[in-house]
Amino acid sequence: MTGTQRREQLIEIGRTVFAERGYEAASIEEIAARAQVSKPVVYEHFGGKEGLYAVVVDREMSKLLEMITSSLTQNRSRIRVERVALALLTYVEERTDGFRILVRDSPVAAAEGTYSSLLNEAVRQVGHILAGDFARRGLDPELAPLYAQALVGMVATTATWWLDERTPSKEVVAAHLVNLCWNGLTNLEADPQFGG
């Protein structure tokens, strides 16, 4: 196996172990044993558990952000909301181990490249899109970040639930999320009042 192939093998095995055990319980010993190499080989490639974990998280973040960003930029209106929900559910389905790693608590040192930082980026992008839509519809664009937070939070929380349920299908889940989001956005009151 070449050095590059070995590195890829260790990343995949590390991804599986981190998903199964979590960061704290995962060990270089187990990763090395599953790869049938000595511990120094893992240290040579990544410097330690933290280095391997950082590579795994970075790859998962990049993949998920790529899926969400392309769904936000390639479509319009209702289809855009649907594609974002479907992109996240597809990521959960295709890269379950990666999603489990991202939603678990990461080491304190990893302030960047966390699931919450990814969600913040999604909120920023959705907020920008909604601000333009709100302005066109005569609604207060200053409130767009609040609605973006609510929408992204709803999709992210549902994706976490769906991780274990896997039923109904991701397309049905996305359709229901869009039903709630879209019908809510379509019928927004310009000045909602509490208790009204």
Side-chain angles (χ1 to χ4, degrees):
M1 200 178 275
T2 67
T4 302
Q5 290 169 327
R6 176 67 70 199
R7 181 177 169 81
E8 291 304 314
Q9 177 204 29
L10 291 170
I11 291 168
E12 285 307 307
I13 291 171
R15 188 171 162 264
T16 301
V17 173
F18 289 130
E20 290 172 0
R21 306 212 184 288
Y23 176 78
E24 292 301 326
S27 71
I28 291 297
E29 291 81 6
E30 182 176 1
I31 293 165
R34 288 191 190 190
Q36 298 179 335
V37 298
S38 64
K39 290 190 310 185
V41 171
V42 181
Y43 287 112
E44 178 185 317
H45 282 278
F46 303 101
K49 183 168 80 168
E50 301 82 12
L52 176 56
Y53 184 83
V55 171
V56 169
V57 168
D58 184 61
R59 284 196 177 185
E60 293 305 318
M61 290 288 293
S62 296
K63 181 66 177 171
L64 182 52
L65 189 57
E66 170 192 317
M67 291 172 77
I68 289 173
T69 301
S70 70
S71 68
L72 279 171
T73 57
Q74 294 178 5
N75 300 291
R76 296 198 176 276
S77 306
R78 182 177 179 142
I79 295 169
R80 185 182 286 169
V81 176
E82 185 177 273
R83 294 292 177 234
V84 169
L86 197 57
L88 184 54
L89 293 169
T90 298
Y91 174 82
V92 170
E93 180 180 65
E94 293 176 356
R95 300 184 68 87
T96 302
D97 283 353
F99 187 72
R100 286 188 197 283
I101 291 166
L102 293 180
V103 296
R104 274 205 172 112
D105 290 338
S106 54
V108 179
E112 290 297 312
T114 61
Y115 186 57
S116 61
S117 68
L118 173 98
L119 293 181
N120 288 338
E121 176 59 21
V123 167
R124 191 187 65 70
Q125 290 186 32
V126 170
H128 177 72
I129 291 164
L130 287 179
D133 183 56
F134 280 20
R136 282 189 296 279
R137 293 171 54 198
L139 300 169
D140 184 357
E142 296 291 317
L143 293 172
L146 181 146
Y147 284 92
Q149 186 72 52
L151 291 172
V152 171
M154 180 175 60
V155 173
T157 301
T158 303
T160 304
W161 164 80
W162 190 75
L163 174 67
D164 294 321
E165 295 295 319
R166 299 298 173 106
T167 182
S169 72
K170 66 182 178 185
E171 291 80 7
V172 170
V173 172
H176 283 277
L177 283 169
V178 171
N179 184 34
L180 180 58
C181 294
W182 189 256
N183 289 321
L185 288 172
T186 303
N187 297 303
L188 284 182
E189 297 172 353
D191 187 24
Q193 299 295 312
F194 182 76

